[in-house]
């Protein structure tokens, strides 16, 4: 597959997948133009210093289809997503903006419900929605509703996290079951109803990150594995830190119903989006302590240590399979699931 | 016309006009949900205090059609628009985020050109694009490209501006000719070619605002009259400050070609969008000095004093017509020009 963004004369769905082609569009087209050290770090948000204060700043647009799905809707997804991107910078999210693009004819009642959900999600997480914008385009020029959220947080004192800080020996913790969100949206979109147990994991992880910071464990990287899933996120970190990563299939937490749906439809849960999970890279000595800290959080009960950072094979991720083999987990090439967030 | 947003069961184009129905959606649907003092001020951006520092935070989505037009494209519009919203808070814009929503099949070459324009606009204004996000939706689910920009600025020491600070006696300055952007986009969209003289006024006003602040003139309000035009913006300020406003038709700076197009097509230039102009409300004693300061800026050469704030008719705006009469300028009700920004 041709993954050089410059060599494709039309935008394809893969440009928004969060996988290899997205990554290449960023490195080939965007970085050379908007060249600055902050953007070049390729972290979830930007860590900035303004008037001596360290702030995190992040943006995400949400185009999920369908807009309502088991466990949530586009509204809480948009609020929690930006809260999490800011949190992954080691910051306390404080303020959020909301940019709505609405299709003419969209039902006001649905908009009201989405806005209520956003207000509830912001309140629950203790962040304020302080500025916004609404645009309406003629019928057929957008699909119901797209939401952008951007946010600002204050980076915790003394905390410095980046996808480029992973070191050999680091243990990798995932805060809970993987692939729940992506499989939920897919099931809702396709009208599949395998199991009522499947619902989005959309959640704000700011309190979990606060506990992680307060634990004073030696954490190097926090990242939420959204589009592209755990597999793509680990590849990004392996590449940013120039280290190898080994994970163990047997240790990946996966709900039975999600596992069954993945097997039935031929999806690899490593590439399916999560919206309320984080990956933490922590020094070996502090790993068990951090695991307990994460498990004590309401969204971390199923946390597990899933692997470690190694010196060999820098930039690459390998999975030890349940039957004892090893296979390379590459960055997602091609769009498994469009419009998942 | 029914302008109560809650009483309409479908979203209409007017919900995004920046006029009366937009305003009512904000006050009827959004404010009651996201209730906080910052949002309730209804200024162009939010003035926040984080760790003792006063910051401005703003967001805007751009859905302009066509995406290329004389003098610019959606890219510089998006960068300059957020720079201006932050500037109007009396802040120095520093950092911008970019959220792209692309339609599958959009030409990579056009995207490249738009991104180059954004990079150029950011560089010219001295702001950095530090974080971003790209989503792609299937063909037919969006129209080519939508761009959200959000931004952060540092509010100048001692400066406090708000649409609620206008006082009787204040003189009102507009920084140049009005209606250029809206008429340019309309002409490009409809394939009209009245005059090659018409082009967007899209420009970053941060250096003008810096000069205004440094002049130490007693300025109470800065606002950029974008969607809804000068007429709607003045109504917002009259309402926020609970004052009356009188402007003089004869003093409104208007390019001949723009005036001609408005007359031909029956548009009122007071309701047509501007993308590189500001309105300044200043104490009478400082008005002439501020006018000179604004005229000294590259984007302020055609600045004029167009009217003043009065005690009578609070919340209302009146126009003294060129032939000596007076008519009420209400907030725009109904969408004159959809997808103008």
């Amino acid at each position: 597959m041709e993954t050089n963004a410059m060599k494709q004369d039309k935008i394809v769905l893969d440009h928004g997948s969060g996988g290899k082609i997205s990554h290449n569009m960023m490195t080939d087209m965007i970085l050379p133009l908007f060249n600055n050290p902050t953007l070049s770090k390729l972290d979830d948000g930007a860590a900035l210093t303004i008037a001596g204060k360290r702030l995190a700043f992040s943006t995400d647009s949400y185009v999920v289809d369908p807009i309502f799905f088991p466990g949530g809707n586009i509204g809480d997804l948009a609020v929690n997503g930006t809260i999490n991107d800011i949190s992954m910078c080691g910051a306390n999210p404080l303020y959020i903006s909301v940019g709505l693009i609405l299709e003419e004819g969209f039902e006001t009642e649905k908009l009201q419900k989405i806005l209520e959900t956003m207000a509830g999600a912001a309140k629950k997480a203790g962040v304020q929605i302080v500025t916004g914008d609404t645009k309406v385009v003629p019928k057929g020029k957008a699909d119901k509703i797209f939401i952008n959220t951007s946010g600002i947080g204050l980076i915790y004192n003394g905390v410095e996290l980046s996808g480029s800080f992973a070191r050999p020996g680091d243990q990798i913790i995932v805060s809970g079951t993987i692939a729940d969100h992506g499989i939920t949206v897919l099931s809702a979109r396709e009208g599949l109803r395998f199991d009522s147990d499947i619902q989005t994991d959309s959640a704000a992880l700011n309190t979990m990150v606060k506990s992680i910071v307060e634990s004073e464990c030696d954490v190097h990287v926090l990242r939420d594995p959204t589009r592209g899933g755990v597999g793509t996120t680990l590849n990004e970190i392996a590449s940013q830190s120039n280290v190898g990563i080994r994970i163990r299939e047997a240790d990946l937490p996966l709900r039975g119903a999600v596992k069954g749906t993945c097997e039935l439809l031929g999806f690899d849960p490593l590439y399916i989006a999560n919206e309320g999970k984080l990956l933490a890279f922590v020094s070996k000595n502090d790993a068990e302590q951090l695991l307990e800290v994460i498990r004590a959080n309401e969204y971390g009960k199923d946390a597990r240590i899933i692997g470690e950072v190694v010196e060999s094979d820098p930039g690459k991720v390998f999975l030890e399979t349940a039957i004892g083999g090893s296979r390379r987990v590459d960055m997602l090439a091609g769009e498994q699931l469009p419009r998942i967030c």
Side-chain angles (χ1 to χ4, degrees), chain A residues 46-93:
Chain A
L48 309 170
T49 301
I50 300 182
K53 302 296 174 185
R54 293 195 311 147
L55 301 175
F57 179 35
S58 187
T59 193
D60 257 323
S61 297
Y62 294 83
V63 299
V64 64
D65 173 39
I67 54 176
F68 293 93
F69 41 80
N73 64 51
I74 189 172
D76 53 314
L77 204 63
V79 170
N80 291 336
T82 284
I83 287 173
N84 292 348
D85 280 346
I86 293 167
S87 300
M88 298 309 128
C89 299
N92 181 26

Side-chain angles (χ1 to χ4, degrees), chain A residues 191-252:
Chain A
L192 307 176
R193 276 303 192 172
F194 295 105
D195 197 309
S196 61
D197 192 35
I198 303 182
Q199 66 170 36
T200 179
D201 60 341
S202 174
L205 299 176
N206 54 333
T207 60
M208 187 187 290
V209 170
K210 185 164 187 275
S211 303
I212 291 172
V213 168
E214 287 173 349
S215 76
E216 298 190 358
C217 287
D218 184 25
V219 177
H220 303 144
V221 183
L222 293 179
R223 190 68 71 88
D224 57 336
T226 56
R227 267 184 303 176
V230 169
T232 299
T233 301
L234 290 178
N235 268 280
E236 287 169 0
I237 296 167
S239 165
Q240 283 179 266
S241 297
N242 200 32
V243 295
I245 288 176
R246 297 274 182 283
I247 56 173
R248 297 174 295 271
E249 188 171 29
D251 290 334
L252 290 172

Side-chain angles (χ1 to χ4, degrees), chain A residues 96-102 111 115 118 129-137 145-150:
Chain A
I96 284 186
S97 66
V98 175
L100 302 174
I101 298 175
L102 305 175
L111 176 61
L115 294 173
M118 297 184 83
I129 293 173
V130 290
T131 191
D133 173 59
T134 302
K135 295 292 190 314
V136 181
V137 297
I145 178 170
F146 300 147
I147 303 180
N148 176 282
T149 50
S150 302

Side-chain angles (χ1 to χ4, degrees), chain A residues 88-144:
Chain A
M88 298 309 128
C89 299
N92 181 26
L94 299 170
Y95 299 108
I96 284 186
S97 66
V98 175
L100 302 174
I101 298 175
L102 305 175
E103 183 188 12
E104 183 189 15
F106 183 58
E107 296 93 327
T108 312
E109 193 185 338
K110 287 184 181 168
L111 176 61
Q112 177 77 26
K113 188 167 176 192
I114 290 165
L115 294 173
E116 282 168 11
T117 306
M118 297 184 83
K123 190 174 179 190
K124 178 156 196 231
V127 304
Q128 286 186 55
I129 293 173
V130 290
T131 191
D133 173 59
T134 302
K135 295 292 190 314
V136 181
V137 297
K139 198 159 180 61
K141 298 296 183 186
D143 191 11
K144 297 183 276 294

